[in-house]
C-alpha cells in the first residue's frame, strides 16, 4: 500500500513537472510570437493610418497560422479599415490558382501538358508550329502579352477588359514573338487561354470550377474569380496610388482577366491556400509536386517558372513565390518548403515593396540574418588621375533596352551619365575605361573593338551598344509622317511632327515623342517601346514595327486615308 502511494505521489510530481515545463514552453513561444508580431507591425507602420491604404498580412509556420493582421484602410472615402477578411485583387498571384487547376486536371487524365491547345481552342490562329499546354504554363508560347499589346492599341487600361477582349486579341495575332519552346517570355495571355481551356474541358465556367474544386473545399469564404468588370465585391479593398505628400488618389480597375489575374482573396483565405501547399488537402501530393517542376526549353536549358510559381533561392533556401501588380494593387506570396513556412502580403497601394517586405518577414520568422547591404555613402573603388581629353570616344548615347537610353556627356573636368527620365550623375574614373557612379553604386565600363573604337558599355550585366544618332532634320522626319494601319490591332496610328520631333498623340491627348536612334529606328519614353521602319524598292517608308519588353514586331502598314 505504501509503495502504491509512493508511486502515485511520484506520478503526480512528474505530471506537475511536465505541466510546468509545458506552461514555460508556451510562455516562451508566446513571447517570441508576440515579439515577431510587433516587428511585423513596425514593417507596416507607415501605412497603418486611417488616412492611408495599406495591406493585410498572413504568416504560417509548421502547419498553423502564427500571425494575421491588417494595416491601413480598404476604402479611404469611408475610412473602412483593412482586416484579415478584406478581399484584395492579387493580380498575377492568381496564376498559381490556375496552375493548380491545370495540375489537378492533368492528374485526373482530362488534360495532358503535351496537348496542342487547338484541341480545345480551335479559334487560336495556326502559327505553323504547335503551342502546347506546357508552353502556356511555362511562358514559352511566343504569344503576345495582352497588357502591352492592348496598350499599343491605345485602349484605356482603366476601362473594362474581359476574357473575351483578350481572346479576340489572340484571334487577331498574325505571328509569334518566337517559336514555342525557344524562349521564356512572361505572358499573361497564356494563363487566360488556360482558363478558357479549363472551362471547355470541365463544362463549367472557370469561376464556377475554381469555386467548387478549390475554394469551397478549403473553406475559403472571401475568394472569387472576377469575371464581370462591373461586379460589386462586398467589402473589397479599393486601389490607390500616391498623389503628392501623404495623399493618395484612387486607381480605377475594371479588369476581369480570368486565369492570369482578377482573383479577389482575403488574408484569412490566403492562409488556407498557403497551408494547402503543405497538406495537399486539395489537389493531392502529385499535383502539388507537379507545380514545382521547372520547364526545359527546346535547347535543354531549365527555367525557374512553373504553374504560376517562381522557383528560386533565398539565403541558401529553396523558395516558391509569386508577386502581383495591377492598378494600385500589389501582392506577394512566398513559401519555403523545407522550413514549413509561408507568408503573403495583400496590398492596395502602389508604393509598397511587397517582395522586400515578404523577405523581411521570412528572415524574421526563420531567424535569418538579413543580407548585408552596401551603405548609401559607400566609397567608390580607388580612383585614378585621368585625362579628361581622353574621354571623347566615350561620349554619346547607349541603348540599355527599348526606350531605355544612357547618354554620356563631358562637363568641365567631369564625365556625366544620364538615363531616360533620370537626373545627370557624375562618373568617377577608376581606370582608363572603367568608372564608378556613386548615385547607382555601380561600375560602368566602356568596351573598345580591335581598332580602338568604343562600341558599347557594360552596366549591371547589360551590354549596351553605342548608337549612331541620325541627324533629326525636318526633311528627314517628314519621310515618316503619315497613317499606319495594324491589321492585328485594328487601329490606325498617325505619326506627326510635334515640337520639332516625330510624335504620336494618344486618345488622352498626351504626346509621345520619338527619338531617332538608328537607321530608320526610333525609341520612345513610353513603356519602353521602339519603332523600326521599313522602306520599299523606291526608298519610301512603307511599314513600321513596334516592339517592347513582351511584344515584338507588331506590324503597321502605311496607308493613305481619304481626305475629309
Amino acid at each position: 500500500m505504501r509503495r502504491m502511494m509512493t508511486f502515485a505521489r511520484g506520478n503526480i510530481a512528474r505530471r506537475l513537472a511536465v505541466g510546468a515545463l509545458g506552461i514555460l514552453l508556451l510562455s516562451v513561444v508566446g513571447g517570441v510570437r508576440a515579439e515577431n508580431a510587433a516587428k511585423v507591425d513596425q514593417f507596416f507602420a507607415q501605412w497603418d493610418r486611417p488616412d492611408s491604404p495599406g495591406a493585410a498580412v498572413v504568416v504560417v509556420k509548421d502547419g498553423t497560422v502564427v500571425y494575421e493582421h491588417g494595416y491601413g484602410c480598404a476604402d479611404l472615402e469611408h475610412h473602412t479599415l483593412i482586416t484579415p477578411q478584406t478581399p484584395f485583387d492579387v493580380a498575377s498571384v492568381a496564376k498559381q490558382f490556375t496552375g493548380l487547376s491545370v495540375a489537378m486536371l492533368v492528374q485526373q487524365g482530362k488534360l495532358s501538358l503535351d496537348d496542342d491547345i487547338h484541341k480545345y481552342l480551335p479559334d487560336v490562329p495556326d502559327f505553323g508550329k504547335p503551342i502546347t499546354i506546357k508552353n502556356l504554363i511555362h511562358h514559352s508560347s511566343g504569344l503576345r502579352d495582352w497588357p502591352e499589346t492592348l496598350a499599343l492599341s491605345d485602349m484605356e487600361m482603366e476601362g473594362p477588359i474581359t476574357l473575351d477582349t483578350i481572346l479576340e486579341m489572340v484571334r487577331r495575332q498574325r505571328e509569334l514573338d518566337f517559336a514555342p519552346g525557344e524562349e521564356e517570355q512572361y505572358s499573361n495571355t497564356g494563363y487566360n487561354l488556360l482558363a478558357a481551356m479549363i472551362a471547355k474541358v470541365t463544362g463549367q465556367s472557370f469561376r464556377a470550377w475554381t469555386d467548387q474544386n478549390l475554394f469551397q473545399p478549403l473553406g475559403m469564404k472571401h475568394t472569387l474569380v472576377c469575371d464581370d468588370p462591373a461586379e460589386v465585391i462586398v467589402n473589397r479593398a479599393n486601389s490607390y496610388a500616391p498623389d503628392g505628400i501623404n495623399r493618395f488618389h484612387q486607381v480605377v480597375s475594371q479588369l476581369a482577366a480570368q486565369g492570369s489575374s482578377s482573383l479577389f482573396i482575403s488574408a484569412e483565405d490566403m492562409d488556407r491556400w498557403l497551408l494547402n501547399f503543405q497538406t495537399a488537402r486539395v489537389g493531392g501530393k502529385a499535383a502539388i509536386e507537379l507545380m514545382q517542376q521547372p520547364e526545359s526549353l527546346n535547347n535543354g536549358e531549365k527555367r525557374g517558372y512553373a504553374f504560376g510559381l517562381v522557383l528560386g533561392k533565398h539565403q541558401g533556401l529553396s523558395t516558391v513565390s509569386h508577386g502581383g501588380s495591377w492598378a494600385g494593387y500589389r501582392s506577394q506570396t512566398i513559401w519555403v518548403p523545407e522550413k514549413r513556412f509561408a507568408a503573403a502580403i495583400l496590398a492596395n497601394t502602389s508604393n509598397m515593396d511587397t517582395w522586400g517586405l515578404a523577405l523581411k518577414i521570412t528572415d524574421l520568422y526563420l531567424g535569418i540574418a538579413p543580407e548585408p547591404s552596401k551603405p548609401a555613402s559607400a566609397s567608390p573603388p580607388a580612383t585614378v588621375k585621368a585625362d579628361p581629353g581622353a574621354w571623347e570616344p566615350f561620349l554619346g548615347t547607349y541603348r540599355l533596352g527599348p526606350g531605355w537610353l544612357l547618354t554620356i556627356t563631358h562637363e568641365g573636368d567631369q564625365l556625366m551619365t544620364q538615363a531616360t527620365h533620370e537626373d545627370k550623375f557624375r562618373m568617377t574614373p577608376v581606370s582608363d575605361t572603367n568608372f564608378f557612379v556613386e548615385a547607382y553604386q555601380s561600375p560602368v565600363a566602356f568596351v573598345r573593338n580591335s581598332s580602338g573604337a568604343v562600341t558599347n558599355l557594360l552596366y549591371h550585366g547589360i551590354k549596351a551598344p553605342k548608337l549612331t544618332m541620325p541627324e533629326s532634320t525636318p526633311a528627314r522626319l517628314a519621310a515618316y509622317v503619315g497613317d499606319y494601319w495594324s491589321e492585328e490591332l485594328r487601329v490606325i496610328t498617325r505619326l506627326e511632327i510635334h515640337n520639332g520631333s516625330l510624335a504620336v498623340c494618344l486618345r488622352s491627348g498626351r504626346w509621345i515623342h520619338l527619338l531617332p536612334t538608328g537607321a530608320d529606328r526610333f525609341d520612345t519614353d513610353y513603356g519602353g517601346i521602339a519603332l523600326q521602319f521599313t522602306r520599299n524598292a523606291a526608298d519610301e517608308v512603307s511599314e513600321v514595327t513596334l516592339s517592347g519588353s513582351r511584344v515584338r514586331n507588331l506590324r503597321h502598314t502605311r496607308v493613305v486615308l481619304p481626305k475629309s
Side-chain angles (χ1 to χ4, degrees):
M1 184 70 159
R2 237 182 268 131
R3 291 177 64 187
M4 289 181 63
M5 289 179 65
T6 302
F7 174 80
R9 289 193 195 102
N11 196 32
I12 292 170
R14 279 193 294 272
R15 288 184 182 180
L16 288 173
V18 171
L21 179 61
I23 292 171
L24 178 61
L25 288 174
L26 286 173
S27 176
V28 171
V29 170
V32 171
R33 284 191 177 183
E35 183 180 342
N36 286 344
K39 289 180 180 177
V40 173
D41 293 345
Q42 291 174 13
F43 296 159
F44 293 89
Q46 74 179 88
W47 297 281
D48 196 19
R49 312 190 317 259
D51 60 347
S52 171
V57 177
V58 59
V59 182
V60 300
K61 182 80 171 69
D62 297 324
T64 187
V65 178
V66 295
Y67 194 55
E68 204 167 73
H69 199 64
Y71 307 91
C73 279
D75 182 344
L76 290 178
E77 186 176 355
H78 300 97
H79 298 289
T80 307
L81 296 179
I82 291 171
T83 73
Q85 292 77 42
T86 302
F88 290 77
D89 183 340
V90 291
S92 287
V93 167
K95 290 181 174 67
Q96 60 194 266
F97 294 81
T98 307
L100 179 57
S101 301
V102 171
M104 288 170 65
L105 292 172
V106 167
Q107 295 302 317
Q108 294 167 15
K110 297 178 181 178
L111 289 175
S112 168
L113 293 179
D114 294 320
D115 284 343
D116 186 330
I117 64 172
H118 287 98
K119 179 179 178 180
Y120 310 101
L121 303 174
D123 286 349
V124 174
D126 183 354
F127 296 105
K129 294 186 177 181
I131 299 173
T132 65
I133 294 176
K134 180 168 63 177
N135 293 142
L136 300 184
I137 276 286
H138 296 287
H139 295 307
S140 62
S141 67
L143 290 167
R144 306 198 196 282
D145 195 27
W146 66 257
E148 197 168 38
T149 305
L150 294 182
L152 287 172
S153 71
D154 205 7
M155 175 175 280
E156 178 54 63
M157 301 307 281
E158 291 185 357
I161 299 174
T162 66
L163 181 59
D164 287 338
T165 308
I166 297 163
L167 293 178
E168 178 59 22
M169 184 204 84
V170 174
R171 283 191 283 269
R172 293 175 179 175
Q173 186 166 336
R174 292 294 179 264
E175 56 190 275
L176 295 174
D177 282 351
F178 51 84
E182 287 296 309
E183 301 179 33
E184 179 187 86
Q185 177 177 279
Y186 194 88
S187 174
N188 288 279
T189 308
Y191 276 72
N192 304 121
L193 294 186
L194 288 171
M197 202 175 302
I198 289 168
K200 210 65 165 301
V201 169
T202 64
Q204 295 179 275
S205 69
F206 182 68
R207 174 171 177 162
W209 193 88
T210 51
D211 186 58
Q212 182 178 323
N213 293 274
L214 301 183
F215 310 146
Q216 288 186 27
L218 289 174
M220 300 165 69
K221 299 177 181 178
H222 308 288
T223 304
L224 60 88
V225 172
C226 179
D227 55 6
D228 177 2
E231 181 174 2
V232 174
I233 299 174
V234 178
N235 297 324
R236 74 170 170 181
N238 290 326
S239 157
Y240 298 95
D243 185 12
I245 299 174
N246 294 325
R247 291 178 55 193
F248 294 87
H249 68 265
Q250 189 167 349
V251 184
V252 176
S253 172
Q254 298 186 71
L255 181 64
Q258 307 164 52
S260 70
S261 333
S262 305
L263 176 83
F264 281 84
I265 185 171
S266 67
E268 184 178 84
D269 283 359
M270 185 60 83
D271 70 46
R272 292 165 170 78
W273 177 256
L274 295 175
L275 288 170
N276 190 63
F277 281 116
Q278 298 179 23
T279 65
R281 176 180 163 194
V282 166
K285 185 178 179 181
I288 298 295
E289 289 179 349
L290 178 61
M291 291 180 72
Q292 300 169 65
Q293 299 304 310
E295 176 197 23
S296 291
L297 298 178
N298 294 344
N299 62 5
E301 179 187 356
K302 281 195 177 294
R303 306 296 291 176
Y305 194 100
F307 291 81
L309 298 170
V310 178
L311 310 177
K313 290 278 188 181
H314 174 63
Q315 301 279 46
L317 297 170
S318 296
T319 59
V320 182
S321 63
H322 209 291
S325 172
W326 178 257
Y329 294 110
R330 299 292 183 269
S331 54
Q332 184 68 51
T333 61
I334 183 168
W335 172 36
V336 185
E338 62 194 277
K339 296 294 184 179
R340 301 186 69 217
F341 170 88
I345 301 172
L346 320 178
N348 65 332
T349 177
S350 64
N351 68 338
M352 187 178 292
D353 175 15
T354 50
W355 174 239
L357 288 165
L359 292 181
K360 280 186 175 183
I361 292 171
T362 301
D363 290 346
L364 174 65
Y365 278 87
L366 297 185
I368 297 173
E371 293 177 334
S373 58
K374 294 180 181 178
S377 59
S379 298
T383 60
V384 298
K385 191 169 184 179
D387 175 14
W391 294 343
E392 188 67 26
F394 303 148
L395 307 184
T397 301
Y398 300 77
R399 181 186 293 113
L400 296 169
W404 187 23
L405 307 178
L406 193 70
T407 300
I408 307 296
T409 55
H410 189 181
E411 298 183 7
D413 62 350
Q414 295 291 334
L415 201 64
M416 307 293 290
T417 178
Q418 184 174 27
T420 304
H421 297 311
E422 294 186 14
D423 295 329
K424 286 185 179 180
F425 297 111
R426 187 176 66 178
M427 304 176 69
T428 303
V430 295
S431 77
D432 290 342
T433 56
N434 290 42
F435 293 76
F436 187 82
V437 183
E438 188 172 350
Y440 299 154
Q441 288 292 293
S442 177
V444 172
F446 294 94
V447 180
R448 299 176 185 268
N449 60 18
S450 56
S451 63
V454 174
T455 56
N456 53 67
L457 63 74
L458 301 177
Y459 169 73
H460 271 299
I462 301 171
K463 188 176 182 179
K466 187 176 184 181
L467 304 176
T468 302
M469 305 293 280
E471 188 180 0
S472 186
T473 63
R476 180 178 183 275
L477 296 181
Y480 304 102
V481 171
D483 295 298
Y484 296 81
W485 165 254
S486 169
E487 178 66 22
E488 186 171 325
L489 299 181
R490 306 288 172 93
V491 296
I492 289 280
T493 298
R494 170 164 291 184
L495 296 181
E496 308 174 59
I497 304 295
H498 181 258
N499 291 341
S501 299
L502 192 64
V504 59
C505 187
L506 303 181
R507 287 193 181 100
S508 64
R510 175 186 173 186
W511 283 93
I512 304 301
H513 293 88
L514 282 59
L515 176 69
T517 55
D520 289 328
R521 179 188 170 101
F522 291 76
D523 280 68
T524 76
D525 59 359
Y526 177 70
I529 302 301
L531 294 83
Q532 180 68 56
F533 292 88
T534 302
R535 295 176 181 267
N536 58 21
D539 199 35
E540 301 167 326
V541 173
S542 57
E543 183 184 72
V544 62
T545 57
L546 276 62
S547 298
S549 60
R550 298 178 187 172
V551 172
R552 302 180 194 175
N553 302 320
L554 246 172
R555 298 182 184 278
H556 292 65
T557 304
R558 193 171 190 177
V559 295
V560 178
L561 297 179
K563 295 182 178 179
S564 57

